[in-house]
Amino acid sequence: MALRMWASSTANALKLSSSASKSHLLPAFSISRCFSSVLEGLKYANSHEWVKHEGSVATIGISDHAQDHLGEVVFVELPEEKSSVSKEKNFGAVESVKATSEIISPISGEVIEVNTKLADSPGLINSSPYEEGWMIKVKPSNPAELESLMGPKEYTKFCEEEDAAH
Amino acid sequence: MVGFKNRFMLMEVYLDPEKDLLGEGTPVILTKLNLSEAIKDSILVNFGECGLASCLGSFHVAYVNPVTKLCIVRSSRDEHRRVWSAMTLVRSVGNCPVVFNLLDISGCIRACRDAALKCETEKFNQSGKGLSEEEIREMNRKMRTPRTLEVWKLGTVNYLKSLKLQDKLVSERKANRIPDTLLSLQHPPTYTLGKRRTDHNLLIPEAELKSIGAELHYTQRGGDITFHGPHQPILYPILSLRSIGFGARSYVEALERSMIEFSSLYGVKARAGNKCETGVWVGDRKIGAIGVRISSGITCHGLAFNIDPDMKYFEHIVPCGIADKEVTSLRRETDAQLPSEEVIHEQLVTCLAKVFSYDDVVVKEDPSAILNTLEDDD
């Protein structure tokens, strides 16, 4: 556990992309799931989306853990600008390996910008889920909703428990 | 369903056979992975590659408790003696010397689980020492109730009706009012498109579809254009991904494995697709297709396997958007005598239940029970 947090902060400090940080630093006996990175400074939902709150703008995307479990993304469906999203309701979908998965919004608000690069390069979600693979920017209508989301440590634990439960 | 006859063996693993500690300072932590590696190595050494290959399909470590050192291993009835003797010959797990001891063997996991529970309670009573919070939580999590799959055999169902039915079942599953459910059915000749609406892969004008007796439907599933029709069994699993511990990719891989396992019943060597060619292939020919939708963690749509559909229908599309590959069917790939469609559907369902490690399969044969309720909702 300590090793993972160390690796995670090293990866962040060196600004390594998520695929590089998934290195095989696993101790010999651990349950063999590939380690996904969790960034500091973001909030996470239990449906694996992240929110970066900067002033009046919140950026939303899906976590490294989520993109790893999805497989290679081939298509992204996003809402239009000026539409509204609601907490815990789906706002779009991602297609990978012949499976379309819904993306759930962690907060409510109005969509002010959509990442148009994803239409041509949906793979950005896999290669850079926290940076280039951002999905929408939202003006939060209720900033208190951010409090109920998980911080990086809680989210890491949540992912581990999910993976280990089977 | 007794298509596959298994034996479940309850084994106790003695680590460093001089000592027998309970939960404290053990030299190696037993996990499903390291146990199954050790047993497979033993089968390979003692029975060769042929022996390993024949055991591998049904071999599965179903339960491991690192605290009490009990494990339940499943094997097919035909191979269980081989697996049993290989386990007895295992000398070490990781770097730790071990000895396996068989406690119980039975034909269903329920009996094995009961024996395991009995043995574990005795161990705890004997040892008399307290376990940490962590260890107790670990144990409770592992002693889970058996997982059941409810299967509905629906015969031939119109595509739109099946979509409505799936929507209904997905909300029921999400609200936990029904267990994991599987629909086993066929469709009348129907072309379907996925979320990306790749209708450029339909090679005849929509207007002409009626003349060839087919319908066209747009859906929210992943995947490209495909054809469904008679003699092509379809399975729509409505499962909670969280409760089975899968993500989208591992779920789709499990669907592929189910079809590969089914093909092997007829001696057909199928394989999963390469990157971006999800599905099941025999050589360069596609025999099974997958298209899935995951909504709030519940799956719908699923897989379709070609037994003997009318292949002419495939000529009117670029199947799955892959232009230079053929479509094939079980009829074309094997000379074996094919049993009735009913038997084939059952075998396909059994393969899926096995790959997804369901303990119990409950078959519901009265389709009107759920199909008719759809009328009421309109």
Side-chain angles (χ1 to χ4, degrees):
Chain A
M1 178 69 172
L3 189 59
R4 292 176 181 200
M5 289 306 295
W6 171 84
S8 166
S9 28
T10 315
N12 297 337
L14 298 177
K15 300 241 187 298
L16 291 175
S17 76
S18 51
S19 44
S21 71
K22 255 189 288 198
S23 53
H24 298 279
L25 306 163
L26 301 173
F29 62 79
S30 72
I31 303 166
S32 56
R33 292 277 169 166
C34 216
F35 158 59
S36 308
S37 67
V38 173
L39 278 197
E40 299 290 327
L42 304 179
K43 290 286 213 173
Y44 297 86
N46 63 2
S47 44
H48 302 288
E49 289 84 15
W50 55 262
V51 183
K52 188 161 159 187
H53 190 202
E54 294 161 314
S56 63
V57 173
T59 314
I60 299 177
I62 62 170
S63 72
D64 192 27
H65 182 268
Q67 71 76 19
D68 184 42
H69 280 236
L70 278 178
E72 190 175 330
V73 175
V74 299
F75 178 71
V76 185
E77 185 189 62
L78 294 172
E80 310 222 321
E81 290 184 16
K82 306 251 176 48
S83 60
S84 63
V85 296
S86 312
K87 186 176 162 81
E88 284 169 17
K89 293 269 179 325
N90 81 331
F91 67 84
V94 163
E95 183 179 335
S96 64
V97 291
K98 305 278 174 92
T100 47
S101 310
E102 287 178 344
I103 336 171
I104 313 279
S105 179
I107 57 173
S108 318
E110 190 195 328
V111 179
I112 46 179
E113 202 187 327
V114 169
N115 188 351
T116 45
K117 285 202 211 141
L118 292 180
D120 294 319
S121 313
L124 287 173
I125 295 188
N126 296 112
S127 55
S128 177
Y130 296 111
E131 269 127 52
E132 313 264 346
W134 66 270
M135 291 183 172
I136 55 173
K137 291 202 194 278
V138 166
K139 191 166 106 184
S141 57
N142 184 0
E145 284 171 343
L146 285 156
E147 307 302 316
S148 57
L149 297 175
M150 293 185 263
K153 284 204 184 61
E154 283 175 278
Y155 179 63
T156 310
K157 189 150 198 281
F158 174 73
C159 290
E160 279 181 16
E161 285 182 356
E162 242 192 20
D163 284 345
H166 302 282
Chain B
M1 278 227 199
V2 285
F4 288 98
K5 301 215 184 263
N6 291 322
R7 288 291 175 262
F8 293 89
M9 294 169 275
L10 176 65
M11 312 288 295
E12 186 171 4
V13 184
Y14 294 107
L15 302 183
D16 244 344
E18 290 86 65
K19 322 175 200 158
D20 187 11
L21 304 171
L22 188 61
E24 199 190 270
T26 44
V28 69
I29 298 176
L30 296 178
T31 63
K32 284 189 188 179
L33 187 66
N34 59 20
L35 273 185
S36 94
E37 289 302 313
I39 298 173
K40 281 192 250 184
D41 282 341
S42 173
I43 303 179
L44 181 62
V45 162
N46 293 296
F47 295 101
E49 288 182 3
C50 193
L52 179 61
S54 59
C55 298
L56 217 45
S58 56
F59 171 72
H60 171 64
V61 176
Y63 166 84
V64 170
N65 189 329
V67 175
T68 57
K69 320 282 186 306
L70 287 184
C71 67
I72 297 183
V73 173
R74 177 191 75 188
S75 173
S76 71
R77 184 184 60 182
D78 294 334
E79 301 297 332
H80 83 276
R81 288 183 187 280
R82 199 170 293 194
V83 173
W84 180 1
S85 42
M87 285 197 285
T88 322
L89 293 169
V90 171
R91 284 288 151 259
S92 63
V93 171
N95 289 329
C96 175
V98 298
V99 173
F100 276 72
N101 181 32
L102 179 79
L103 297 178
D104 188 52
I105 186 166
S106 64
C108 66
I109 192 154
R110 208 165 280 215
C112 213
R113 184 181 68 111
D114 292 339
L117 269 173
K118 215 166 127 190
C119 186
E120 286 180 339
T121 16
E122 263 198 51
K123 280 202 171 207
F124 281 116
N125 292 339
Q126 267 179 15
S127 85
K129 45 155 101 165
L131 287 181
S132 70
E133 275 294 311
E134 182 73 53
E135 283 162 339
I136 294 181
R137 240 183 303 138
E138 185 65 35
M139 299 232 13
N140 284 330
R141 197 161 55 191
K142 290 193 181 265
M143 292 204 197
R144 55 174 180 79
T145 43
R147 287 174 43 230
T148 307
L149 179 67
E150 227 172 58
V151 178
W152 289 88
K153 292 174 158 181
L154 300 178
T156 302
V157 182
N158 165 270
Y159 195 78
L160 267 183
K161 206 162 187 185
S162 77
L163 282 185
K164 272 198 214 147
L165 176 58
Q166 287 181 75
D167 275 339
K168 182 156 176 242
L169 291 177
V170 165
S171 12
E172 297 276 297
R173 183 68 191 93
K174 188 172 165 204
N176 243 325
R177 284 194 285 267
I178 54 172
D180 285 342
T181 301
L182 177 65
L183 303 180
S184 167
L185 48 97
Q186 292 191 8
H187 290 308
T190 312
Y191 291 100
T192 64
L193 284 161
K195 206 180 181 56
R196 281 177 282 151
R197 302 175 82 91
T198 46
D199 35 23
H200 50 273
N201 285 326
L202 179 64
L203 304 174
I204 61 169
E206 227 181 292
E208 258 187 59
L209 289 173
K210 216 170 171 186
S211 64
I212 57 168
E215 292 178 4
L216 174 69
H217 290 285
Y218 290 85
T219 72
Q220 296 294 311
R221 62 162 172 77
D224 211 301
I225 190 169
T226 193
F227 169 75
H228 298 307
H231 311 301
Q232 186 200 69
I234 292 183
L235 296 186
Y236 291 146
I238 314 285
L239 314 178
S240 160
L241 282 186
R242 196 163 279 184
S243 76
I244 58 178
F246 280 178
R249 183 171 55 169
S250 39
Y251 172 62
V252 167
E253 286 171 1
L255 289 181
E256 286 175 336
R257 280 201 306 275
S258 310
M259 289 195 272
I260 292 171
E261 175 110 11
F262 170 72
S263 309
S264 69
L265 294 180
Y266 295 92
V268 174
K269 281 204 192 53
R271 61 171 181 88
N274 304 324
K275 220 174 175 198
C276 297
E277 289 185 347
T278 302
V280 174
W281 301 76
V282 182
D284 257 353
R285 304 173 295 285
K286 194 163 191 184
I287 197 171
I290 294 178
V292 166
R293 178 179 184 208
I294 300 167
S295 159
S296 309
I298 312 291
T299 65
C300 59
H301 295 277
L303 62 87
F305 192 92
N306 293 337
I307 299 297
D308 191 14
D310 185 348
M311 302 303 266
K312 283 210 291 298
Y313 280 105
F314 285 99
E315 290 167 18
H316 300 301
I317 55 174
V318 180
C320 304
I322 305 170
D324 52 353
K325 302 269 163 77
E326 270 176 58
V327 176
T328 184
S329 66
L330 190 64
R331 176 72 285 163
R332 286 190 177 180
E333 295 295 329
T334 178
D335 293 324
Q337 172 92 335
L338 297 182
S340 72
E341 296 238 327
E342 169 135 7
V343 171
I344 289 183
H345 275 246
E346 266 189 34
Q347 289 173 336
L348 192 51
V349 170
T350 308
C351 288
L352 189 141
K354 188 171 144 181
V355 165
F356 281 87
S357 302
Y358 280 101
D359 304 308
D360 257 327
V361 176
V362 174
V363 179
K364 311 274 215 186
E365 303 230 25
D366 180 18
S368 55
I370 43 172
L371 287 178
N372 289 349
T373 57
L374 288 181
E375 300 338 311
D376 302 337
D377 289 341
D378 285 339

